[in-house]
Amino acid sequence: MKSFIQSDEHIEILFKRRDQEYLAEKIKKEFMTIIEERLKSVPNIFDMTAILVEYQTSAVIGVIKYWYQHSRSISEEEILEKIYEISSNGFLNTLKKELSNKL
Amino acid sequence: MKSFIQSDEHIEILFKRRDQEYLAEKIKKEFMTIIEERLKSVPNIFDMTAILVEYQTSAVIGVIKYWYQHSRSISEEEILEKIYEISSNGFLNTLKKELSNKL
């Protein structure tokens, strides 16, 4: 993930050109290759594994795109920490925690 | 979520026309309005709340798009269950569980 953000210029250009569709497909493919090598089998198209890759890749690309579109006003570390927190604890728990802090 | 999938035809057309960018923005806006009403304040652009909305909306739209692109070969209930499982337990825990079942 860190190296992903660090190959900075190219990614910024891709987001600006609204080519994130292409970027997403490339990342999903890489992700799937790593998993397939580990599993030594190709996940079925509706396996939880394939859905997980779709879910997480789309989420991370969505957040990073948002971060670029808002002039990256928080640091790389901060945005990665937030992504890591949601990925570890889950969207629902993180949202509950967040809302109970604010209400 | 259920009503989202059930307004079926329109959504299928949007995905086919690759207008999911437009769809995503509309859903994020709705989501934000609900949260803002509950919080009675507008979340800061890099609040965890705003990031959570980005993360989850992108993830869910990504998975549903994938489901449409693969002829919706599993039922609406099954795909919603999978999304709910990942959203509750988090990507990392669900992936660990999934890989440990398969290795």
Side-chain angles (χ1 to χ4, degrees), chain A residues 24-38:
Chain A
E25 289 314 313
K26 235 173 122 58
I27 294 172
K28 277 173 210 162
K29 225 172 152 183
E30 293 288 330
F31 214 155
M32 272 307 210
T33 311
I34 296 169
I35 288 177
E36 281 165 21
E37 273 167 14
R38 249 194 105 176

Side-chain angles (χ1 to χ4, degrees), chain A residues 18 20-21 25 31 35 38-39 43 45-56 58-59 62-63 65-67 70 73-74 79 82-95 98-99 102-103, chain B residues 18 20-21 25 31 35 38-39 43 45-56 58-59 62-63 65-67 70 73-74 79 82-95 98-99 102-103:
Chain A
R18 298 185 157 259
Q20 69 264 15
E21 190 88 10
E25 289 314 313
F31 214 155
I35 288 177
R38 249 194 105 176
L39 295 179
I45 220 144
F46 279 110
D47 259 6
M48 190 51 138
T49 319
I51 302 291
L52 277 162
V53 169
E54 278 298 322
Y55 180 96
Q56 183 70 357
S58 307
V63 172
K65 185 181 143 204
Y66 180 82
W67 181 63
H70 293 90
S73 352
I74 61 169
I79 194 76
K82 284 178 195 285
I83 292 174
Y84 183 75
E85 189 181 336
I86 311 171
S87 310
S88 304
N89 303 325
F91 164 74
L92 289 173
N93 290 327
T94 319
L95 184 65
E98 197 55 23
L99 293 184
K102 283 189 178 167
L103 283 175
Chain B
R18 296 185 158 261
Q20 68 265 17
E21 190 88 10
E25 289 314 314
F31 215 155
I35 289 176
R38 247 194 107 175
L39 294 180
I45 220 144
F46 278 110
D47 260 6
M48 189 51 136
T49 319
I51 302 293
L52 276 162
V53 169
E54 278 299 321
Y55 180 96
Q56 184 70 358
S58 307
V63 172
K65 186 180 143 203
Y66 180 82
W67 181 63
H70 292 90
S73 353
I74 60 170
I79 195 75
K82 284 178 196 284
I83 292 174
Y84 183 75
E85 189 181 336
I86 311 171
S87 309
S88 305
N89 303 325
F91 164 73
L92 290 172
N93 290 327
T94 319
L95 183 66
E98 196 55 24
L99 293 184
K102 285 189 178 168
L103 283 174

Side-chain angles (χ1 to χ4, degrees), chain B residues 8-54:
Chain B
D8 218 33
E9 268 174 61
H10 304 287
I11 295 179
E12 193 148 4
I13 290 166
L14 281 170
F15 279 126
K16 280 192 180 148
R17 285 174 46 207
R18 296 185 158 261
D19 275 353
Q20 68 265 17
E21 190 88 10
Y22 165 78
L23 182 64
E25 289 314 314
K26 234 174 122 59
I27 295 171
K28 277 175 209 161
K29 226 171 150 182
E30 293 288 331
F31 215 155
M32 272 307 209
T33 311
I34 297 169
I35 289 176
E36 282 165 21
E37 273 167 13
R38 247 194 107 175
L39 294 180
K40 311 235 178 293
S41 74
V42 181
N44 176 290
I45 220 144
F46 278 110
D47 260 6
M48 189 51 136
T49 319
I51 302 293
L52 276 162
V53 169
E54 278 299 321

